[in-house]
Amino acid sequence: MRRKIRILMAKPGLDGHDRGVKYISRALRDAGYEVIYTGIRQSPEAIAHAAIQEDVDFVGLSLLSGAHNELFPEIVRLIRKYGGESIIVFAGGIIPEKDIPFLKEHGVEAIFTPGASFKEVADFIEQNKRRLSH
Amino acid sequence: MLNRMEKIKKKKEAWETTTLKKVLERFPERKKRFVTGSWLDVDRLYTPVPQSEEEFIEKIGFPGEYPYTRGVQPTMYRGRLWTMRQYAGFGTAEESNTRYKYLLSQGQTGLSVAFDLPTQIGYDSDDPHSLGEVGKVGVAIDSLKDMEILFDGIPLDKVSTSMTINAPAAVLLAFYIVVAEKQGIPAGQLRGTIQNDILKEYIARGTYIFPPKPSIRLITDIFEYCAQHVPQWNTISISGYHIREAGSTAVQEIAFTLADGVEYVHAALQAGLDVDQFAGRLSFFFNAHNDLFEEIAKFRAARRIWAKLMKDRFGAKDERSRMLRFHTQTGGSTLTAQQPDNNIVRVTIQTLAAVLGGTQSLHTNSRDEALGLPTEEAVRIALRTQQIVAHESGVTNTVDPLAGSYFMESLTDRIEQEVWQYLDRIEQLGGMVNAIEKGYVQKEIQNAAYQYQREVEEGTRIVVGVNQYTLEDEKPDKILRVSPGLREIQIEKLRALRRMRQASRVKRALQKLEQAAHNRNENLMPYILDAARVYATLGEISNVLRHVFGEYQESIVL
């Protein structure tokens, strides 16, 4: 039998707004996924290492401070550098519409902005899990 | 009295079996159960409850008198309106200085400084942790130099300044005091507030540095120093705002905030202070959400509970020590990114809640804050909302206008009861620090946040524009963008600062601070002030303390 989908939920940057990431983490867990949550104020290095060590399929990033353009691409870069080629990265937070194309170009595959529902996140995971190699 | 109550009760029963019953048979109510925004049951109709004159005086009483249910001032807004205080700050000290002068020119009566996250966590702009965060959610302050620019041309004896700063509050307060010295203004004339509330950082807000014990020592050092040298300064703003933003109920907001307050009072007493020496300078900070009556009742209940705690439990004699004075901010988490103009209406309701609840100062959020930092135009509308409520709505003409409403008094009592239950529970857990370390407080909040979001997703809780009355194609809104390259500007300023200052004096001041930090009997404020005066940076001062105190590790609760 295929193993459960593993998802790392991470909060890079320095903001402490963890209501959204905790809600999504818990809802994903209730929906039957394996969820690991890093806690707040994690460096790009720490997140990339955790993604590899925990052997996850997805990484979800949450950031509300506005530092996404600097931090998200760096995290994707480090995940790839440490060998997580097939890990799928998505993100959420206060992210202006205008920044989304830039982030997608840098490997963040989906971005959920304020008002997005859990169902949209769950649909994204379901639609993309078949791309995974195992 | 009893006879009168008996009559009303009979009449109500008759109404229920005739007038009401007929209507309910033909037109059932929309829902089986009606609740407040925080799930407190609401009855169809409230009627007089038996209450003696003594009970009235004891529970409701008169404004400006114990238990302050009706407000802390005898005349409230008939005497002076609340302070309209918009939280602002972004980019460099120069840019924020311009915004403050603009706000003051628009009739704002106090300043409220938003610092960027590196500043709030005691990192200089050139620290690797600061990547991407410099100047984003507030102004970047690395040293006294930046603080001099921030308040350039603003006479510090004429404005009151609130600073949202917690873990390194002592350092930013020191910068402020030294800027005033340079303007020729003695510390005794300074008015303002530092947030300085570390416990809610562990619970909800996240900008902690040190573990609880040394953090609380810094707080009591500030209490003691300010009691002697900066007597008009509010030394702490015990904050429920962020607890509510994290998803708590209204009851939890009050309960956990007052429990934090109890912990600080205990700590100050243990440090040898007399309760009336510092308690009058404690202030509070609450949220205002959309459920109008629940919010008003919440504020009234909070004042009553705090007055009782201070009088009965801590034996405060000074009336000021028993008064719960508070700042309010409208609820950021109630704003929607969808149809952002609707937020102006939400903020108006929340403004009414704060004012009818007797707030001392108010920040109104801007319509565009679910999208990013607010534009100047949006900030102006938010300030105008307060001005319209103040000058056009008429709600300021009498004190505590909703007192005596059967519903309002019942809801105030209900919230009070539930808060006392939480306070007892926290006491059983060994106080707030223990309750936080065990994750109890975080778990309670998260459960409420989870239930709320479930209801939104299931559509049982309607959020206009989000899960009902939505629009297909929304035009993207104008948003404020912080100029890129800020970090480089700050790093350049830091380089120049390090060249300009006398390295040996900085080194000596930091060494003395380190020695003092090791000795619990030393008050750290004078040492931090000395380091500030010779232009030691915020990061350097914080790192000395990190070295001695260690850093806090989050207890993750899911």
Short mmCIF file of all heavy atoms in Angstrom, two decimals, chain B residues 3 35 61 68 96 131 149 165 206-207 223 239 292 357 371 423 427-429 433 452 455 459:
data_model
loop_
_atom_site.label_atom_id
_atom_site.label_comp_id
_atom_site.label_asym_id
_atom_site.label_seq_id
_atom_site.Cartn_x
_atom_site.Cartn_y
_atom_site.Cartn_z
N ASN B 3 -42.96 42.12 44.17
CA ASN B 3 -44.28 42.19 43.61
C ASN B 3 -44.24 42.63 42.14
O ASN B 3 -44.89 42.04 41.27
CB ASN B 3 -45.10 43.19 44.45
CG ASN B 3 -46.58 42.93 44.29
OD1 ASN B 3 -46.95 41.99 43.58
ND2 ASN B 3 -47.38 43.75 44.92
N VAL B 35 -26.52 32.97 18.86
CA VAL B 35 -25.32 33.14 19.70
C VAL B 35 -24.58 34.41 19.31
O VAL B 35 -24.75 34.92 18.21
CB VAL B 35 -24.34 31.94 19.58
CG1 VAL B 35 -24.95 30.67 20.13
CG2 VAL B 35 -23.88 31.75 18.14
N GLY B 61 -22.97 50.82 39.39
CA GLY B 61 -22.42 52.00 40.06
C GLY B 61 -22.31 53.24 39.20
O GLY B 61 -23.10 53.47 38.29
N TYR B 68 -15.91 50.69 38.41
CA TYR B 68 -15.58 51.28 37.09
C TYR B 68 -16.29 50.60 35.92
O TYR B 68 -15.86 50.74 34.77
CB TYR B 68 -14.06 51.29 36.85
CG TYR B 68 -13.34 52.10 37.89
CD1 TYR B 68 -12.68 51.46 38.95
CD2 TYR B 68 -13.35 53.48 37.84
CE1 TYR B 68 -12.05 52.20 39.93
CE2 TYR B 68 -12.71 54.22 38.82
CZ TYR B 68 -12.06 53.57 39.86
OH TYR B 68 -11.44 54.31 40.81
N SER B 96 8.96 57.30 7.91
CA SER B 96 7.97 57.24 8.99
C SER B 96 7.78 58.61 9.64
O SER B 96 6.67 58.99 9.99
CB SER B 96 8.38 56.21 10.05
OG SER B 96 8.28 54.93 9.50
N LEU B 131 16.84 39.21 6.86
CA LEU B 131 16.67 39.14 5.41
C LEU B 131 15.19 39.23 5.03
O LEU B 131 14.38 38.46 5.50
CB LEU B 131 17.27 37.84 4.86
CG LEU B 131 17.16 37.67 3.34
CD1 LEU B 131 18.04 38.69 2.62
CD2 LEU B 131 17.50 36.26 2.91
N ILE B 149 16.19 60.54 14.08
CA ILE B 149 15.58 60.90 12.79
C ILE B 149 14.06 60.70 12.86
O ILE B 149 13.28 61.52 12.39
CB ILE B 149 16.19 60.05 11.65
CG1 ILE B 149 17.68 60.34 11.51
CG2 ILE B 149 15.46 60.29 10.34
CD1 ILE B 149 18.44 59.30 10.70
N ILE B 165 6.46 47.61 21.25
CA ILE B 165 7.76 46.96 21.40
C ILE B 165 7.70 46.15 22.68
O ILE B 165 7.17 46.62 23.68
CB ILE B 165 8.90 48.01 21.40
CG1 ILE B 165 10.25 47.35 21.20
CG2 ILE B 165 8.88 48.88 22.65
CD1 ILE B 165 10.49 46.86 19.79
N GLY B 206 4.48 36.31 19.05
CA GLY B 206 5.69 35.68 18.50
C GLY B 206 6.98 36.46 18.53
O GLY B 206 8.02 35.92 18.17
N THR B 207 6.99 37.73 18.97
CA THR B 207 8.27 38.45 18.96
C THR B 207 8.98 38.39 20.31
O THR B 207 9.40 39.39 20.86
CB THR B 207 8.13 39.93 18.52
OG1 THR B 207 7.40 40.65 19.50
CG2 THR B 207 7.42 40.04 17.19
N PHE B 223 9.32 48.92 35.35
CA PHE B 223 8.32 49.45 36.31
C PHE B 223 9.02 50.33 37.35
O PHE B 223 8.60 51.43 37.65
CB PHE B 223 7.61 48.32 37.07
CG PHE B 223 6.61 47.51 36.27
CD1 PHE B 223 5.94 46.44 36.87
CD2 PHE B 223 6.32 47.81 34.95
CE1 PHE B 223 5.02 45.69 36.16
CE2 PHE B 223 5.40 47.05 34.23
CZ PHE B 223 4.76 45.99 34.84
N SER B 239 -1.88 43.09 26.72
CA SER B 239 -2.60 43.07 25.45
C SER B 239 -3.40 41.82 25.19
O SER B 239 -2.86 40.71 25.15
CB SER B 239 -1.59 43.23 24.30
OG SER B 239 -0.80 44.38 24.50
N LEU B 292 -21.40 43.75 18.19
CA LEU B 292 -21.41 45.02 18.90
C LEU B 292 -21.67 44.87 20.40
O LEU B 292 -20.92 45.37 21.23
CB LEU B 292 -22.46 45.93 18.26
CG LEU B 292 -22.58 47.34 18.80
CD1 LEU B 292 -21.33 48.14 18.48
CD2 LEU B 292 -23.79 48.04 18.17
N GLY B 357 -17.94 51.11 24.70
CA GLY B 357 -17.30 50.34 25.77
C GLY B 357 -16.34 51.18 26.60
O GLY B 357 -15.73 50.68 27.54
N LEU B 371 -4.84 43.17 2.39
CA LEU B 371 -4.09 43.07 1.13
C LEU B 371 -2.63 43.43 1.31
O LEU B 371 -1.77 42.94 0.58
CB LEU B 371 -4.70 44.02 0.09
CG LEU B 371 -6.18 43.78 -0.21
CD1 LEU B 371 -6.82 44.99 -0.85
CD2 LEU B 371 -6.33 42.55 -1.11
N LEU B 423 -9.92 32.32 35.07
CA LEU B 423 -8.89 32.79 36.01
C LEU B 423 -8.63 31.73 37.08
O LEU B 423 -7.49 31.48 37.47
CB LEU B 423 -9.30 34.13 36.63
CG LEU B 423 -9.31 35.34 35.67
CD1 LEU B 423 -9.87 36.58 36.35
CD2 LEU B 423 -7.92 35.63 35.12
N GLU B 427 -5.15 29.67 37.72
CA GLU B 427 -4.59 29.62 39.07
C GLU B 427 -4.25 28.17 39.45
O GLU B 427 -3.17 27.88 39.97
CB GLU B 427 -5.61 30.20 40.05
CG GLU B 427 -5.04 30.86 41.26
CD GLU B 427 -4.02 31.95 40.93
OE1 GLU B 427 -4.20 32.71 39.94
OE2 GLU B 427 -3.03 32.02 41.66
N GLN B 428 -5.19 27.24 39.14
CA GLN B 428 -4.96 25.81 39.42
C GLN B 428 -3.74 25.28 38.67
O GLN B 428 -3.06 24.37 39.15
CB GLN B 428 -6.17 24.97 39.02
CG GLN B 428 -7.36 25.11 39.96
CD GLN B 428 -8.65 24.62 39.29
OE1 GLN B 428 -8.62 24.01 38.22
NE2 GLN B 428 -9.78 24.91 39.93
N LEU B 429 -3.51 25.82 37.49
CA LEU B 429 -2.36 25.35 36.69
C LEU B 429 -1.05 25.96 37.16
O LEU B 429 0.00 25.70 36.59
CB LEU B 429 -2.58 25.68 35.20
CG LEU B 429 -3.67 24.88 34.49
CD1 LEU B 429 -3.97 25.46 33.11
CD2 LEU B 429 -3.26 23.42 34.34
N VAL B 433 2.47 31.75 33.51
CA VAL B 433 3.70 31.24 32.87
C VAL B 433 3.61 29.71 32.72
O VAL B 433 3.89 29.16 31.65
CB VAL B 433 4.95 31.65 33.68
CG1 VAL B 433 6.18 30.93 33.15
CG2 VAL B 433 5.17 33.16 33.60
N TYR B 452 -14.16 28.46 14.51
CA TYR B 452 -14.57 29.65 13.74
C TYR B 452 -14.37 29.40 12.25
O TYR B 452 -15.27 29.60 11.43
CB TYR B 452 -13.76 30.87 14.20
CG TYR B 452 -14.01 32.11 13.38
CD1 TYR B 452 -14.96 33.03 13.77
CD2 TYR B 452 -13.28 32.35 12.20
CE1 TYR B 452 -15.21 34.18 13.01
CE2 TYR B 452 -13.52 33.49 11.44
CZ TYR B 452 -14.47 34.39 11.84
OH TYR B 452 -14.72 35.50 11.09
N GLU B 455 -16.75 26.98 10.65
CA GLU B 455 -18.07 27.57 10.43
C GLU B 455 -18.09 28.45 9.19
O GLU B 455 -19.08 28.47 8.46
CB GLU B 455 -18.52 28.39 11.65
CG GLU B 455 -18.82 27.51 12.85
CD GLU B 455 -19.17 28.33 14.10
OE1 GLU B 455 -19.28 29.56 14.02
OE2 GLU B 455 -19.32 27.70 15.16
N GLY B 459 -20.18 27.56 5.88
CA GLY B 459 -21.20 28.54 5.54
C GLY B 459 -22.21 28.79 6.65
O GLY B 459 -23.19 29.51 6.46
#
